[in-house]
Short mmCIF file of all heavy atoms in Angstrom, two decimals:
data_model
loop_
_atom_site.label_atom_id
_atom_site.label_comp_id
_atom_site.label_asym_id
_atom_site.label_seq_id
_atom_site.Cartn_x
_atom_site.Cartn_y
_atom_site.Cartn_z
N GLY Z 266 -9.20 9.93 0.09
CA GLY Z 266 -10.51 10.16 -0.53
C GLY Z 266 -10.50 10.00 -2.04
O GLY Z 266 -11.43 9.41 -2.61
N PRO Z 267 -9.48 10.50 -2.75
CA PRO Z 267 -9.45 10.29 -4.21
C PRO Z 267 -9.41 8.82 -4.61
O PRO Z 267 -9.96 8.46 -5.66
CB PRO Z 267 -8.16 11.02 -4.62
CG PRO Z 267 -8.02 12.11 -3.61
CD PRO Z 267 -8.47 11.49 -2.31
N PHE Z 268 -8.78 7.94 -3.80
CA PHE Z 268 -8.80 6.51 -4.12
C PHE Z 268 -10.24 6.01 -4.16
O PHE Z 268 -10.66 5.34 -5.10
CB PHE Z 268 -7.99 5.72 -3.08
CG PHE Z 268 -7.92 4.24 -3.36
CD1 PHE Z 268 -6.84 3.71 -4.04
CD2 PHE Z 268 -8.95 3.38 -2.96
CE1 PHE Z 268 -6.77 2.34 -4.31
CE2 PHE Z 268 -8.89 2.03 -3.22
CZ PHE Z 268 -7.80 1.50 -3.89
N ARG Z 269 -11.01 6.34 -3.13
CA ARG Z 269 -12.42 5.95 -3.07
C ARG Z 269 -13.17 6.45 -4.31
O ARG Z 269 -13.89 5.68 -4.97
CB ARG Z 269 -13.05 6.54 -1.82
CG ARG Z 269 -14.57 6.48 -1.74
CD ARG Z 269 -15.09 7.49 -0.73
NE ARG Z 269 -14.68 8.85 -1.11
CZ ARG Z 269 -14.69 9.90 -0.29
NH1 ARG Z 269 -15.05 9.74 0.97
NH2 ARG Z 269 -14.32 11.09 -0.72
N ASP Z 270 -12.99 7.72 -4.64
CA ASP Z 270 -13.75 8.32 -5.73
C ASP Z 270 -13.37 7.74 -7.08
O ASP Z 270 -14.24 7.45 -7.92
CB ASP Z 270 -13.54 9.84 -5.73
CG ASP Z 270 -14.01 10.50 -4.44
OD1 ASP Z 270 -14.86 9.89 -3.74
OD2 ASP Z 270 -13.54 11.60 -4.13
N ASP Z 271 -12.07 7.55 -7.31
CA ASP Z 271 -11.63 7.07 -8.62
C ASP Z 271 -11.95 5.61 -8.83
O ASP Z 271 -12.28 5.19 -9.96
CB ASP Z 271 -10.12 7.33 -8.78
CG ASP Z 271 -9.80 8.81 -8.90
OD1 ASP Z 271 -10.72 9.59 -9.22
OD2 ASP Z 271 -8.63 9.18 -8.66
N VAL Z 272 -11.85 4.78 -7.77
CA VAL Z 272 -12.24 3.37 -7.91
C VAL Z 272 -13.73 3.28 -8.25
O VAL Z 272 -14.13 2.50 -9.13
CB VAL Z 272 -11.92 2.59 -6.62
CG1 VAL Z 272 -12.61 1.23 -6.63
CG2 VAL Z 272 -10.42 2.42 -6.47
N ARG Z 273 -14.55 4.06 -7.60
CA ARG Z 273 -15.99 4.04 -7.88
C ARG Z 273 -16.27 4.47 -9.31
O ARG Z 273 -17.08 3.85 -10.02
CB ARG Z 273 -16.73 4.93 -6.90
CG ARG Z 273 -18.23 4.97 -7.15
CD ARG Z 273 -18.99 5.70 -6.05
NE ARG Z 273 -20.41 5.65 -6.33
CZ ARG Z 273 -21.08 6.59 -7.00
NH1 ARG Z 273 -20.45 7.67 -7.44
NH2 ARG Z 273 -22.37 6.45 -7.24
N ARG Z 274 -15.61 5.53 -9.76
CA ARG Z 274 -15.83 6.01 -11.12
C ARG Z 274 -15.42 4.96 -12.15
O ARG Z 274 -16.09 4.78 -13.17
CB ARG Z 274 -15.04 7.30 -11.34
CG ARG Z 274 -15.59 8.50 -10.57
CD ARG Z 274 -14.62 9.67 -10.59
NE ARG Z 274 -14.34 10.11 -11.96
CZ ARG Z 274 -13.30 10.85 -12.30
NH1 ARG Z 274 -12.41 11.22 -11.38
NH2 ARG Z 274 -13.13 11.22 -13.57
N PHE Z 275 -14.33 4.24 -11.86
CA PHE Z 275 -13.89 3.20 -12.78
C PHE Z 275 -14.88 2.04 -12.83
O PHE Z 275 -15.26 1.57 -13.91
CB PHE Z 275 -12.51 2.70 -12.36
CG PHE Z 275 -11.98 1.57 -13.21
CD1 PHE Z 275 -11.40 1.82 -14.44
CD2 PHE Z 275 -12.07 0.26 -12.77
CE1 PHE Z 275 -10.92 0.79 -15.23
CE2 PHE Z 275 -11.61 -0.79 -13.54
CZ PHE Z 275 -11.03 -0.53 -14.78
N VAL Z 276 -15.32 1.59 -11.65
CA VAL Z 276 -16.22 0.43 -11.59
C VAL Z 276 -17.55 0.73 -12.28
O VAL Z 276 -18.12 -0.13 -12.95
CB VAL Z 276 -16.44 0.00 -10.13
CG1 VAL Z 276 -17.53 -1.06 -10.03
CG2 VAL Z 276 -15.15 -0.56 -9.55
N LYS Z 277 -18.04 1.95 -12.15
CA LYS Z 277 -19.34 2.25 -12.77
C LYS Z 277 -19.22 2.73 -14.22
O LYS Z 277 -20.21 3.08 -14.85
CB LYS Z 277 -20.15 3.23 -11.93
CG LYS Z 277 -19.70 4.66 -11.86
CD LYS Z 277 -20.54 5.41 -10.82
CE LYS Z 277 -20.23 6.90 -10.78
NZ LYS Z 277 -20.75 7.62 -11.94
N GLY Z 278 -17.97 2.72 -14.73
CA GLY Z 278 -17.80 2.92 -16.16
C GLY Z 278 -17.65 4.35 -16.63
O GLY Z 278 -17.87 4.64 -17.81
N ASP Z 279 -17.24 5.27 -15.75
CA ASP Z 279 -17.02 6.64 -16.20
C ASP Z 279 -15.85 6.68 -17.18
O ASP Z 279 -14.85 5.96 -17.00
CB ASP Z 279 -16.69 7.54 -15.00
CG ASP Z 279 -17.92 7.86 -14.17
OD1 ASP Z 279 -19.00 7.29 -14.47
OD2 ASP Z 279 -17.82 8.64 -13.22
N PRO Z 280 -15.92 7.52 -18.21
CA PRO Z 280 -14.83 7.59 -19.20
C PRO Z 280 -13.62 8.35 -18.66
O PRO Z 280 -13.72 9.16 -17.74
CB PRO Z 280 -15.47 8.36 -20.36
CG PRO Z 280 -16.54 9.20 -19.72
CD PRO Z 280 -17.06 8.39 -18.57
N GLY Z 281 -12.45 8.06 -19.23
CA GLY Z 281 -11.24 8.81 -18.95
C GLY Z 281 -10.69 8.67 -17.55
O GLY Z 281 -10.08 9.62 -17.02
N ILE Z 282 -10.85 7.50 -16.96
CA ILE Z 282 -10.47 7.34 -15.55
C ILE Z 282 -9.27 6.41 -15.37
O ILE Z 282 -8.74 6.27 -14.27
CB ILE Z 282 -11.69 6.80 -14.75
CG1 ILE Z 282 -11.43 6.94 -13.24
CG2 ILE Z 282 -11.97 5.35 -15.11
CD1 ILE Z 282 -11.29 8.35 -12.79
N VAL Z 283 -8.77 5.79 -16.47
CA VAL Z 283 -7.73 4.78 -16.34
C VAL Z 283 -6.45 5.35 -15.75
O VAL Z 283 -5.81 4.73 -14.88
CB VAL Z 283 -7.45 4.11 -17.70
CG1 VAL Z 283 -6.24 3.18 -17.61
CG2 VAL Z 283 -8.67 3.31 -18.16
N ASP Z 284 -6.05 6.54 -16.18
CA ASP Z 284 -4.80 7.12 -15.67
C ASP Z 284 -4.90 7.38 -14.17
O ASP Z 284 -3.96 7.11 -13.40
CB ASP Z 284 -4.49 8.42 -16.40
CG ASP Z 284 -4.03 8.19 -17.83
OD1 ASP Z 284 -3.73 7.03 -18.16
OD2 ASP Z 284 -3.99 9.17 -18.61
N GLU Z 285 -6.05 7.92 -13.74
CA GLU Z 285 -6.24 8.19 -12.31
C GLU Z 285 -6.22 6.90 -11.51
O GLU Z 285 -5.62 6.82 -10.43
CB GLU Z 285 -7.56 8.94 -12.07
CG GLU Z 285 -7.53 10.40 -12.46
CD GLU Z 285 -7.80 10.62 -13.94
OE1 GLU Z 285 -7.86 9.63 -14.70
OE2 GLU Z 285 -7.94 11.79 -14.35
N LEU Z 286 -6.88 5.84 -12.03
CA LEU Z 286 -6.90 4.57 -11.32
C LEU Z 286 -5.50 3.99 -11.20
O LEU Z 286 -5.12 3.47 -10.14
CB LEU Z 286 -7.81 3.58 -12.06
CG LEU Z 286 -7.92 2.20 -11.38
CD1 LEU Z 286 -8.69 2.31 -10.08
CD2 LEU Z 286 -8.58 1.19 -12.31
N ALA Z 287 -4.72 4.11 -12.26
CA ALA Z 287 -3.35 3.60 -12.22
C ALA Z 287 -2.55 4.31 -11.12
O ALA Z 287 -1.78 3.69 -10.39
CB ALA Z 287 -2.68 3.78 -13.58
N ALA Z 288 -2.73 5.63 -11.00
CA ALA Z 288 -2.03 6.37 -9.97
C ALA Z 288 -2.45 5.91 -8.58
O ALA Z 288 -1.61 5.79 -7.67
CB ALA Z 288 -2.30 7.87 -10.13
N ARG Z 289 -3.72 5.64 -8.40
CA ARG Z 289 -4.18 5.18 -7.08
C ARG Z 289 -3.58 3.83 -6.73
O ARG Z 289 -3.15 3.59 -5.59
CB ARG Z 289 -5.72 5.07 -7.05
CG ARG Z 289 -6.47 6.35 -7.35
CD ARG Z 289 -6.16 7.47 -6.37
NE ARG Z 289 -6.38 8.75 -7.04
CZ ARG Z 289 -5.40 9.55 -7.45
NH1 ARG Z 289 -4.13 9.23 -7.24
NH2 ARG Z 289 -5.68 10.68 -8.07
N ILE Z 290 -3.52 2.90 -7.68
CA ILE Z 290 -2.97 1.57 -7.43
C ILE Z 290 -1.49 1.66 -7.13
O ILE Z 290 -0.94 0.87 -6.34
CB ILE Z 290 -3.25 0.65 -8.64
CG1 ILE Z 290 -4.77 0.41 -8.77
CG2 ILE Z 290 -2.52 -0.68 -8.48
CD1 ILE Z 290 -5.16 -0.34 -10.01
N LEU Z 291 -0.81 2.64 -7.68
CA LEU Z 291 0.63 2.81 -7.48
C LEU Z 291 0.97 3.55 -6.19
O LEU Z 291 2.13 3.86 -5.94
CB LEU Z 291 1.24 3.57 -8.67
CG LEU Z 291 1.38 2.78 -9.97
CD1 LEU Z 291 1.78 3.70 -11.11
CD2 LEU Z 291 2.41 1.66 -9.79
N GLY Z 292 -0.04 3.87 -5.38
CA GLY Z 292 0.21 4.57 -4.12
C GLY Z 292 -0.01 6.06 -4.20
O GLY Z 292 0.47 6.80 -3.33
N SER Z 293 -0.70 6.52 -5.26
CA SER Z 293 -1.05 7.93 -5.43
C SER Z 293 0.17 8.85 -5.39
O SER Z 293 0.24 9.80 -4.60
CB SER Z 293 -2.07 8.36 -4.37
OG SER Z 293 -3.27 7.64 -4.48
N PRO Z 294 1.16 8.62 -6.26
CA PRO Z 294 2.34 9.50 -6.26
C PRO Z 294 2.01 10.93 -6.67
O PRO Z 294 2.79 11.84 -6.39
CB PRO Z 294 3.28 8.82 -7.27
CG PRO Z 294 2.38 8.03 -8.17
CD PRO Z 294 1.27 7.55 -7.29
N ASP Z 295 0.87 11.13 -7.34
CA ASP Z 295 0.46 12.50 -7.70
C ASP Z 295 -0.06 13.27 -6.49
O ASP Z 295 -0.10 14.51 -6.51
CB ASP Z 295 -0.61 12.46 -8.79
CG ASP Z 295 -1.81 11.61 -8.40
OD1 ASP Z 295 -1.66 10.65 -7.63
OD2 ASP Z 295 -2.94 11.91 -8.88
N ILE Z 296 -0.45 12.55 -5.43
CA ILE Z 296 -0.95 13.19 -4.20
C ILE Z 296 0.15 13.24 -3.16
O ILE Z 296 0.38 14.27 -2.52
CB ILE Z 296 -2.17 12.43 -3.66
CG1 ILE Z 296 -3.32 12.47 -4.66
CG2 ILE Z 296 -2.60 12.99 -2.30
CD1 ILE Z 296 -4.51 11.61 -4.27
N TYR Z 297 0.84 12.12 -2.97
CA TYR Z 297 1.90 12.02 -1.96
C TYR Z 297 3.24 12.14 -2.67
O TYR Z 297 3.82 11.14 -3.11
CB TYR Z 297 1.78 10.70 -1.21
CG TYR Z 297 0.41 10.50 -0.59
CD1 TYR Z 297 -0.49 9.57 -1.10
CD2 TYR Z 297 0.00 11.28 0.49
CE1 TYR Z 297 -1.74 9.41 -0.53
CE2 TYR Z 297 -1.25 11.12 1.06
CZ TYR Z 297 -2.11 10.19 0.54
OH TYR Z 297 -3.36 10.03 1.10
N LYS Z 298 3.73 13.36 -2.77
CA LYS Z 298 4.88 13.64 -3.63
C LYS Z 298 6.21 13.61 -2.89
O LYS Z 298 7.26 13.73 -3.52
CB LYS Z 298 4.68 15.01 -4.27
CG LYS Z 298 3.45 15.07 -5.16
CD LYS Z 298 3.25 16.44 -5.79
CE LYS Z 298 1.99 16.47 -6.66
NZ LYS Z 298 1.77 17.80 -7.29
N GLN Z 299 6.18 13.45 -1.55
CA GLN Z 299 7.43 13.42 -0.80
C GLN Z 299 8.23 12.18 -1.22
O GLN Z 299 7.71 11.06 -1.14
CB GLN Z 299 7.16 13.38 0.70
CG GLN Z 299 6.31 14.55 1.20
CD GLN Z 299 4.83 14.21 1.24
OE1 GLN Z 299 4.31 13.57 0.33
NE2 GLN Z 299 4.15 14.64 2.30
N PRO Z 300 9.46 12.34 -1.65
CA PRO Z 300 10.22 11.20 -2.19
C PRO Z 300 10.51 10.10 -1.17
O PRO Z 300 10.67 8.94 -1.53
CB PRO Z 300 11.53 11.85 -2.68
CG PRO Z 300 11.63 13.13 -1.93
CD PRO Z 300 10.22 13.60 -1.71
N ASP Z 301 10.57 10.46 0.11
CA ASP Z 301 10.91 9.45 1.13
C ASP Z 301 9.68 8.95 1.88
O ASP Z 301 9.80 8.25 2.88
CB ASP Z 301 11.91 10.03 2.13
CG ASP Z 301 11.39 11.29 2.81
OD1 ASP Z 301 10.40 11.87 2.31
OD2 ASP Z 301 11.98 11.70 3.83
N ARG Z 302 8.50 9.29 1.40
CA ARG Z 302 7.27 8.89 2.08
C ARG Z 302 6.95 7.42 1.78
O ARG Z 302 7.03 6.99 0.62
CB ARG Z 302 6.10 9.76 1.67
CG ARG Z 302 4.79 9.39 2.35
CD ARG Z 302 3.62 10.17 1.77
NE ARG Z 302 2.36 9.68 2.29
CZ ARG Z 302 1.65 10.28 3.23
NH1 ARG Z 302 2.06 11.42 3.73
NH2 ARG Z 302 0.51 9.77 3.65
N GLU Z 303 6.56 6.66 2.80
CA GLU Z 303 6.16 5.27 2.59
C GLU Z 303 4.80 5.22 1.89
O GLU Z 303 3.84 5.85 2.33
CB GLU Z 303 6.05 4.54 3.93
CG GLU Z 303 7.36 4.44 4.70
CD GLU Z 303 7.17 3.75 6.04
OE1 GLU Z 303 6.08 3.21 6.27
OE2 GLU Z 303 8.11 3.77 6.84
N PRO Z 304 4.69 4.49 0.79
CA PRO Z 304 3.41 4.45 0.06
C PRO Z 304 2.28 3.85 0.88
O PRO Z 304 1.10 4.14 0.63
CB PRO Z 304 3.73 3.59 -1.18
CG PRO Z 304 4.96 2.82 -0.81
CD PRO Z 304 5.73 3.69 0.10
N ASN Z 305 2.63 3.02 1.87
CA ASN Z 305 1.58 2.38 2.66
C ASN Z 305 0.93 3.31 3.67
O ASN Z 305 0.03 2.89 4.40
CB ASN Z 305 2.15 1.15 3.38
CG ASN Z 305 2.49 0.05 2.41
OD1 ASN Z 305 1.74 -0.23 1.49
ND2 ASN Z 305 3.66 -0.55 2.58
N ARG Z 306 1.36 4.57 3.75
CA ARG Z 306 0.69 5.52 4.62
C ARG Z 306 -0.60 6.05 4.00
O ARG Z 306 -1.34 6.81 4.62
CB ARG Z 306 1.63 6.67 4.98
CG ARG Z 306 2.68 6.29 6.01
CD ARG Z 306 3.70 7.38 6.21
NE ARG Z 306 3.07 8.63 6.59
CZ ARG Z 306 3.61 9.82 6.35
NH1 ARG Z 306 4.76 9.91 5.72
NH2 ARG Z 306 2.99 10.92 6.74
N SER Z 307 -0.88 5.67 2.78
CA SER Z 307 -2.17 5.97 2.16
C SER Z 307 -3.15 4.87 2.52
O SER Z 307 -2.93 3.70 2.22
CB SER Z 307 -2.02 6.05 0.64
OG SER Z 307 -3.30 6.12 0.03
N ILE Z 308 -4.24 5.24 3.22
CA ILE Z 308 -5.28 4.26 3.54
C ILE Z 308 -6.25 4.23 2.37
O ILE Z 308 -7.07 5.14 2.17
CB ILE Z 308 -6.01 4.63 4.85
CG1 ILE Z 308 -5.00 4.73 6.00
CG2 ILE Z 308 -7.10 3.61 5.16
CD1 ILE Z 308 -4.25 3.46 6.30
N ASN Z 309 -6.13 3.19 1.55
CA ASN Z 309 -6.94 3.08 0.34
C ASN Z 309 -8.28 2.44 0.69
O ASN Z 309 -8.39 1.23 0.82
CB ASN Z 309 -6.20 2.24 -0.70
CG ASN Z 309 -4.89 2.88 -1.12
OD1 ASN Z 309 -4.77 4.10 -1.13
ND2 ASN Z 309 -3.91 2.06 -1.47
N PHE Z 310 -9.29 3.28 0.86
CA PHE Z 310 -10.59 2.74 1.25
C PHE Z 310 -11.59 2.91 0.10
O PHE Z 310 -11.47 3.81 -0.72
CB PHE Z 310 -11.11 3.42 2.52
CG PHE Z 310 -11.52 4.86 2.40
CD1 PHE Z 310 -12.86 5.22 2.37
CD2 PHE Z 310 -10.57 5.86 2.32
CE1 PHE Z 310 -13.24 6.55 2.27
CE2 PHE Z 310 -10.93 7.19 2.24
CZ PHE Z 310 -12.27 7.54 2.20
N VAL Z 311 -12.54 1.99 0.05
CA VAL Z 311 -13.52 1.99 -1.03
C VAL Z 311 -14.82 2.64 -0.60
O VAL Z 311 -15.44 3.37 -1.36
CB VAL Z 311 -13.78 0.53 -1.51
CG1 VAL Z 311 -14.83 0.51 -2.60
CG2 VAL Z 311 -12.48 -0.08 -2.02
N THR Z 312 -15.24 2.37 0.64
CA THR Z 312 -16.43 3.04 1.16
C THR Z 312 -16.35 3.05 2.68
O THR Z 312 -15.54 2.34 3.27
CB THR Z 312 -17.72 2.36 0.68
OG1 THR Z 312 -18.84 3.18 1.00
CG2 THR Z 312 -17.89 0.98 1.31
N CYS Z 313 -17.17 3.91 3.29
CA CYS Z 313 -17.14 4.06 4.74
C CYS Z 313 -18.51 4.50 5.23
O CYS Z 313 -19.47 4.58 4.45
CB CYS Z 313 -16.06 5.06 5.17
SG CYS Z 313 -16.39 6.74 4.63
#
């Protein structure tokens, strides 16, 4: 869900969102903190 929200905030020009967007593109390591977790287990969706 945070991927959806942060991508939308970035696209519509909300301030202070670059760091969050970078984390989402990197597989959300701030959310999925398990060191052995596969990054592709995050379903990065934009809308539903």
Side-chain angles (χ1 to χ4, degrees):
F268 182 95
R269 168 200 59 197
D270 299 338
D271 291 341
V272 167
R273 179 172 182 268
R274 289 168 60 198
F275 177 80
V276 171
K277 71 188 185 73
D279 286 5
I282 194 64
V283 172
D284 288 347
E285 285 84 352
L286 181 69
R289 301 299 154 254
I290 294 173
L291 286 171
S293 298
D295 55 331
I296 298 173
Y297 305 109
K298 298 179 181 180
Q299 303 93 319
D301 58 345
R302 180 188 172 103
E303 297 178 10
N305 291 317
R306 284 173 57 206
S307 170
I308 302 299
N309 298 329
F310 69 105
V311 178
T312 191
C313 66

